Amino acid sequence: METTTPAPFTVIPNRRPASDEERWLAMEDPVFGKVFTDHMARATWRDGEGWTQRRIVPLAPLPMHPGAAVLHYAQQAFEGLKAYRHEDDSIHLFRPERNAARLAASARRLALPELPAEDFLASLEELVTIDQQWVPGTPGASLYLRPLLIATEPSLLVQPSDEVDYLVTASPVGAYIATGDQGASIWVSKGYHRANAGGTGEAKTAGNYAASMLPQLEAKAHGCQQVLFLDAKEDRYVEELGGMNLMAVRADGTVLTPSLSGTILPGVTRDSILTLLKDSGRTVEERDIELAEILEGIEAGEIVELFACGTAAVVTAIGRLVSDDFDVTVGDGSPGPVGAEMVGALTDIQYGRAEDTHGWLHRVV
Ligand code: COI
């Protein structure tokens, strides 16, 4: 990571921000990631110069050369985190230093320049401050922040770009997956894989998500909301969903989750929930988990609950696992108590309703 002292972000305010009425309408019931605030953060990197032009500017389309490396070879990395409004109107980020570190790790894997953690934090602080009226105050809603590194050099050579842009957009959001009083139905993909050993599975980068779209369509065609991937080597071990980590609860209260083997995204929500589970005295097992162990466990009543977790999805109960050769309901298909306890414990900290004993909140406003 660069060690130079970062310069502040210069703020160039949007002279035509949304009116109060436009903003209220846009924030009423936003579809995830479809509504954007008035500003975005930017910084530019050039080989030999490092990071310059740190700025907050009006949200606008990007003029980009059609030969920009990111458009051809997907040399990019991104992040997802949220800002939460508390009852006293203060606004807080949740564990942003984790996202800074993960973006740096993804950048290393994608041969992109690392953004110093101080710049990452400063960009979010400035953006959330200027767009603070876009941080929802309604229960369960928040401002989703999407930091992004993209290779902008016009070059069709398959080599690391010598120009990179850092961008952050912000979107008021509610629930990512609406499941009602039943857990989500999950399609277990056979044959399609998200990541291979030595590939980019543990980086947060576009290609992993692009690869999940066709299996996601397959999931939809089978009446499921999400797809679960198995390992690419043996098609046998559960890995993660298309943007969420997986947890399984045994009848004795132990919680199982696939270990971070290099092909799984190290989720910040995953890590926070594992910590909260341990805080509440539960045993947690991070290890390889065979799909057969989950299916047989559900049938035998030994696995009593499944849930997915991620920044966007928070905690999403899983009610059903489906594939070509099975259709299994978890318990009675409704959300289980451990997932519910974790949504409560996590969101109570995020929204300032419970003491932040781990120092996870980063106050911005
Ligand atoms: C997030 O949870 O922040 C993600 O980037 C996942 C994506 C499916 C929205």
Side-chain angles (χ1 to χ4, degrees), residues 32 78-81 144 146 176 204 209 242-244 310-313:
F32 184 93
F78 71 98
E79 271 306 320
L81 72 164
Y144 183 77
R146 177 48 72 88
Y176 183 68
K204 200 159 176 68
Y209 296 79
M244 282 157 257
T311 297

Side-chain angles (χ1 to χ4, degrees), residues 188-231:
V188 181
S189 176
K190 300 274 186 75
Y192 290 125
H193 298 281
R194 182 186 162 276
N196 248 302
T200 57
E202 67 183 343
K204 200 159 176 68
T205 187
N208 296 336
Y209 296 79
S212 77
M213 290 192 196
L214 181 59
Q216 180 65 35
L217 278 184
E218 206 174 72
K220 286 231 158 77
H222 288 86
C224 296
Q225 287 113 317
Q226 266 291 329
V227 57
L228 170 65
F229 292 100
L230 303 180
D231 76 287

Side-chain angles (χ1 to χ4, degrees), residues 154-165:
S155 167
L156 301 185
L157 290 171
V158 183
Q159 66 180 28
S161 178
D162 65 11
E163 285 175 26
V164 171
D165 253 23

Side-chain angles (χ1 to χ4, degrees), residues 231-251:
D231 76 287
K233 196 165 166 213
E234 297 187 62
D235 219 9
R236 188 164 145 204
Y237 298 98
V238 293
E239 291 210 322
E240 66 175 276
L241 292 89
M244 282 157 257
N245 295 115
L246 176 74
M247 302 217 175
V249 184
R250 277 215 304 250

Side-chain angles (χ1 to χ4, degrees), residues 104-168:
S106 300
R108 285 194 291 278
R109 179 62 184 86
L110 273 295
L112 288 161
E114 291 176 41
L115 182 78
E118 297 80 1
D119 279 333
F120 183 84
L121 288 175
S123 68
L124 301 176
E125 285 168 359
E126 292 290 358
L127 180 60
V128 172
T129 300
I130 195 163
D131 280 342
Q132 58 186 271
Q133 287 178 303
W134 287 93
V135 183
T138 42
S142 55
L143 187 70
Y144 183 77
L145 298 159
R146 177 48 72 88
L148 178 68
L149 290 170
I150 52 172
T152 50
E153 183 189 2
S155 167
L156 301 185
L157 290 171
V158 183
Q159 66 180 28
S161 178
D162 65 11
E163 285 175 26
V164 171
D165 253 23
Y166 168 67
L167 294 144
V168 190

